[in-house]
Amino acid sequence: MQNSNSLVKSSASSSDQEIPRRTMPMLDQFHPCIHDSIENIVDVKVDSNCGYCAIAALLGMGENSWSLVRNHLLKELAKWSYEYINLLGCIDKFEELKRSLLVDGLSMVCNLCYFLI
């Protein structure tokens, strides 16, 4: 198996020439079978919203736009609620998922105050 971090085979050409691929830091942290599917990696600060920060950064919105990502996901759940309820198996799990995506501005301010003390 070749290291997909450094070389990519050209699928459009019939030749076996390999095209250099840009090096991505931390690619070795992911299983080799998904390396070809990874286009970019961002290193965000670790907190309870780091996954949302990474998505926001990769979408070009900036890490601080994590709350927008959560709000978009909440709207997606509302739009497709019937499908998600069926997928999750019951309305209680659906409601729990919705609550987990809510962004409370006051709690963000309180958390900030806690870290400043």
Side-chain angles (χ1 to χ4, degrees):
M1 176 178 220
Q2 72 184 39
N3 180 350
S4 62
N5 191 26
S6 59
L7 300 171
V8 175
K9 279 194 172 186
S10 174
S11 60
S13 171
S14 62
S15 71
D16 286 336
Q17 280 187 323
E18 295 179 344
I19 303 167
R21 180 175 177 179
R22 74 179 178 90
T23 302
M24 285 187 273
M26 299 180 291
L27 187 64
D28 61 336
Q29 301 296 312
F30 299 91
H31 195 281
C33 73
I34 64 168
H35 285 190
D36 288 339
S37 301
I38 298 173
E39 294 181 14
N40 197 0
I41 297 173
V42 294
D43 188 14
V44 297
K45 71 175 186 174
V46 177
D47 65 11
S48 60
N49 296 305
C50 57
Y52 303 106
C53 291
I55 292 168
L58 288 168
L59 290 173
M61 299 164 48
E63 284 183 42
N64 292 330
S65 296
W66 60 266
S67 61
L68 292 174
V69 172
R70 288 178 75 147
N71 283 325
H72 284 292
L73 290 171
L74 194 56
K75 288 177 184 176
E76 178 76 8
L77 280 177
K79 181 178 178 181
W80 300 99
S81 60
Y82 181 77
E83 286 81 359
Y84 280 105
I85 291 168
N86 284 333
L87 179 68
L88 296 169
C90 69
I91 196 159
D92 291 339
K93 288 183 182 179
F94 175 76
E95 292 298 328
E96 181 183 346
L97 181 58
K98 275 180 30 180
R99 281 190 302 276
S100 75
L101 290 171
L102 291 174
V103 177
D104 180 12
L106 183 58
S107 68
M108 290 189 314
V109 172
C110 291
N111 287 338
L112 179 60
C113 292
Y114 173 78
F115 286 113
L116 293 176
I117 295 176

